[in-house]
Amino acid sequence: AQTVTQSQPEMSVQEAETVTLSCTYDTSESNYYLFWYKQPPSRQMILVIRQEAYKQQNATENRFSVNFQKAAKSFSLKISDSQLGDTAMYFCAFMDGAGSYQLTFGKGTKLSVIP
Amino acid sequence: SAVISQKPSRDICQRGTSLTIQCQVDSQVTMMFWYRQQPGQSLTLIATANQGSEATYESGFVIDKFPISRPNLTFSTLTVSNMSPEDSSIYLCSISAGLHYEQYFGPGTRLTVT
């Protein structure tokens, strides 16, 4: 079974600064997908970014980018130019490529952006 | 992207009663999922609900406690039966869509059992 570990329960960052959230995972699969989800206090889960394991290039979505290290099984999220609206719980998630389409989530990191 | 709605958004229920949560999608989807998020915790998958087949439950969740219906490609319900305070959680539905079957979530139902 896959496991996803987020070792930082809480983090804070000054507005306009950059912050990196860590995620490691354990799997024996070679084909899989990794995701970062954001859950603001309103509780709506929002997909932030996606990475396919077969792609070496790190995914980028505007101010959000990932550092995907497949050999190290590491998948960190970098948020640049942090904004107050980035305050939320961030969950790292794993999905195997074998067809179950099920997500395994980490425990989450609570990010606070300080004005 | 699809719009996913859930009803009710929140409810307070007495122990021993049941609550049915509805999940409506504005487009047809094959795969839907139900999750539980206990206070301050991450998401745990309850079951996968594909149209035309019985729901598949994860370890620790049983059909008698969490019966699921999936009558068509746009709708599903999750019932939380014989509730106890331990069932107080946020319940979320999601759909699998997109190029790599990424999941998109409904707004969630916050359930409090007294």
Side-chain angles (χ1 to χ4, degrees), chain A residues 37 43-44 50 52 101 106, chain B residues 9 37 42 100 102-103 105:
Chain A
Y37 282 88
R43 78 173 178 262
Q44 176 84 51
R50 175 192 71 229
E52 297 88 342
Y101 309 113
Chain B
S9 60
Q37 186 177 25
S42 186
H100 298 292
E102 54 264 32
Q103 290 188 24
F105 287 81

Side-chain angles (χ1 to χ4, degrees), chain B residues 30-102:
Chain B
T30 301
M31 287 178 284
M32 294 180 74
F33 305 87
W34 286 99
Y35 290 85
R36 181 175 73 182
Q37 186 177 25
Q38 294 177 303
Q41 302 296 315
S42 186
L43 281 73
T44 302
L45 180 65
I46 298 172
T48 301
N50 293 338
Q51 197 272 337
S53 62
E54 296 293 320
T56 303
Y57 290 83
E58 297 301 302
S59 175
F61 298 96
V62 295
I63 187 170
D64 290 346
K65 176 67 175 177
F66 297 101
I68 289 171
S69 77
R70 183 78 201 275
N72 56 52
L73 289 172
T74 64
F75 187 78
S76 178
T77 66
L78 169 75
T79 298
V80 186
S81 304
N82 187 24
M83 289 183 285
S84 67
E86 292 70 35
D87 295 319
S88 296
S89 296
I90 297 172
Y91 292 86
L92 301 103
C93 68
S94 73
I95 65 169
S96 185
L99 182 63
H100 298 292
Y101 300 98
E102 54 264 32

